[in-house]
Amino acid sequence: MGQYEPEPPQPSDPRLPPGQRLQRGWPVLHYGPVPRFKPQSWDFQVFGATASAEKHRWDFEGFHALPRVTVRGDLHCVTRFSMLGNEWGGVAAKTVLDLVPPAPGVTHVMVWAEYGYSANLRLADFTDPQTVFATHRNGEPLTVEHGFPVRLVVPHLYAWKGPKWVRAVEYMRADRRGFWEERGYHNLADPWTEQRYSYQEEPGDGPLR
């Protein structure tokens, strides 16, 4: 895959949500240590309310053999920086859903990562065409600090909804707060309406705390 150079964003770029500033580099931000990658034991699982009622898993080679996509998508961090015009390569979330369909009544997913980290998403956000399990950015493989071998990218939401070091997707028939949502972050995380913290939530935005 050739290297992609995004167009330099301008300070007045309409792609910049309220309260965000342009970021030229890619800061390393995460909770806890960087996990050690072990290809022999690494797998990617889909479980919970699957249509077959069974868990599905791919090993490292199997997951990386799945159909790939390339999407353009911004990254908006709740700490107020935004990286515009990224090119993400990987496996579309929609591909995972097609291969392992959810059971009737599934409304949300929980995306699980190393060390028990998690992020909850509405099914509609997960099925967005730009939501991708990314292995590359701008034509280059992700570094381990940025989520190698797989991180979720959900460009239309704040970046905490896209965990690094993803290991599994759980289908759910009811919403449940993820790691940061349990610690005071907004359940929906729309950067365009600055849904940063749980005290901003309106009735119906998430499960009761």
Side-chain angles (χ1 to χ4, degrees):
M1 183 183 296
Q3 185 166 355
Y4 165 74
E5 291 294 336
E7 178 184 350
Q10 302 301 316
S12 59
D13 197 305
R15 295 172 295 173
L16 197 64
Q20 297 294 108
R21 59 175 173 80
L22 295 175
Q23 177 71 35
R24 300 293 179 176
W26 193 2
V28 175
L29 299 173
H30 55 261
Y31 178 87
V34 174
R36 181 180 178 185
F37 174 58
K38 300 177 181 179
Q40 294 79 11
S41 59
W42 188 93
D43 65 1
F44 183 99
Q45 300 184 11
V46 180
F47 67 99
T50 64
S52 66
E54 296 179 351
K55 178 188 295 185
H56 193 97
R57 67 176 294 275
W58 292 273
D59 61 16
F60 180 72
E61 291 185 0
F63 182 81
H64 284 264
L66 294 178
R68 296 183 59 82
V69 298
T70 299
V71 301
R72 299 279 182 87
D74 304 328
L75 187 147
H76 305 298
C77 183
V78 73
T79 61
R80 298 186 182 274
F81 76 80
S82 291
M83 296 164 48
L84 305 181
N86 306 282
E87 183 180 87
W88 304 101
V91 178
K94 184 65 167 56
T95 296
V96 174
L97 282 163
D98 290 343
L99 293 171
V100 187
V106 168
T107 58
H108 293 77
V109 302
M110 188 73 77
V111 179
W112 291 96
E114 299 283 1
Y115 303 129
Y117 180 87
S118 61
N120 61 316
L121 292 165
R122 294 173 296 188
L123 190 61
D125 293 318
F126 190 68
T127 58
D128 187 278
Q130 286 190 299
T131 300
V132 60
F133 290 99
T135 60
H136 290 68
R137 174 180 173 265
N138 295 347
E140 297 294 333
L142 296 176
T143 64
V144 65
E145 292 82 7
H146 286 302
F148 174 86
V150 179
R151 71 175 294 159
L152 183 66
V153 176
V154 190
H156 67 283
L157 300 181
Y158 281 122
W160 87 76
K161 288 292 189 179
K164 302 177 183 181
W165 312 302
V166 171
R167 296 295 303 273
V169 175
E170 178 186 0
Y171 295 159
M172 305 188 299
R173 290 189 173 93
D175 197 6
R176 193 169 78 244
R177 294 180 187 269
F179 181 90
W180 287 114
E181 294 78 14
E182 289 182 337
R183 289 161 174 81
Y185 279 64
H186 199 287
N187 196 57
L188 301 182
D190 179 4
W192 293 97
T193 56
E194 296 198 76
Q195 292 176 332
R196 300 176 187 274
Y197 306 112
S198 59
Y199 70 81
Q200 299 171 302
E201 291 177 5
E202 300 290 340
D205 283 349
L208 296 177
R209 297 183 60 80

